């Protein structure tokens, strides 16, 4: 469902309230828009959503990369501890290596 939700975010240019404005449903045959209550744009056609597929995949992949980065960065407290123990240069090096390990795609 996340690919469909990303397409909808791209179509609207914002993140809608998926509990009230746009309700999605997946009954095992692929997610679809069950209810469209967004007032700023009409319900998109399948063709309009399909045209956003590659951008939606990029959003999804970048969200995964960011989640992996955050997990590996650790808590703010552990990052501060690392800086105190190893210095700022070592900390920046470590952060850059994590960014290289989990690259974001161009949007």
């Amino acid at each position: 469902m996340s690919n469909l939700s990303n397409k909808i975010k791209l179509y609207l240019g914002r993140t809608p309230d998926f509990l009230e404005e746009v309700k999605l449903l997946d009954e095992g045959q692929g997610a679809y828009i069950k209810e469209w209550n967004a007032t700023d744009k009409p319900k998109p056609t399948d063709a309009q959503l399909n045209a956003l597929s590659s951008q939606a995949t990029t959003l999804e992949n970048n969200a995964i990369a960011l989640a992996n980065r955050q997990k590996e960065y650790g808590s703010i407290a552990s990052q501060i501890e690392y800086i105190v123990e190893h210095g700022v240069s070592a900390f920046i090096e470590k952060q850059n290596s994590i960014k290289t390990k989990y690259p974001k795609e161009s949007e």
Side-chain angles (χ1 to χ4, degrees):
M1 234 187 292
S2 62
N3 203 359
L4 177 58
S5 63
N6 282 331
K7 289 177 187 178
I8 291 168
K9 290 176 192 177
L10 289 163
Y11 172 75
L12 288 173
R14 64 181 179 82
T15 301
D17 178 344
F18 282 105
L19 297 175
E20 296 297 325
E21 286 186 289
V22 179
K23 296 180 182 180
L24 305 179
L25 189 62
D26 188 343
E27 298 173 318
Q29 307 224 344
Y32 65 93
I33 299 170
K34 180 180 182 202
E35 199 173 311
W36 186 268
N37 298 314
T39 57
D40 49 336
K41 280 192 171 181
K43 181 179 175 182
T45 64
D46 287 341
Q48 287 172 309
L49 292 176
N50 289 338
L52 299 168
S53 285
S54 67
Q55 290 172 283
T57 299
T58 297
L59 278 180
E60 193 168 335
N61 290 343
N62 286 347
I64 292 167
L66 287 174
N68 286 333
R69 286 180 184 183
Q70 288 173 341
K71 183 178 175 185
E72 202 157 323
Y73 290 153
S75 69
I76 292 173
S78 68
Q79 291 179 47
I80 292 170
E81 181 180 344
Y82 190 91
I83 291 169
V84 169
E85 291 176 0
H86 303 282
V88 174
S89 294
F91 173 75
I92 292 170
E93 227 177 274
K94 180 182 175 191
Q95 301 300 78
N96 286 338
S97 72
I98 292 169
K99 286 181 179 181
T100 301
K101 184 176 178 181
Y102 302 109
K104 285 176 45 178
E105 297 176 24
S106 299
E107 293 181 24

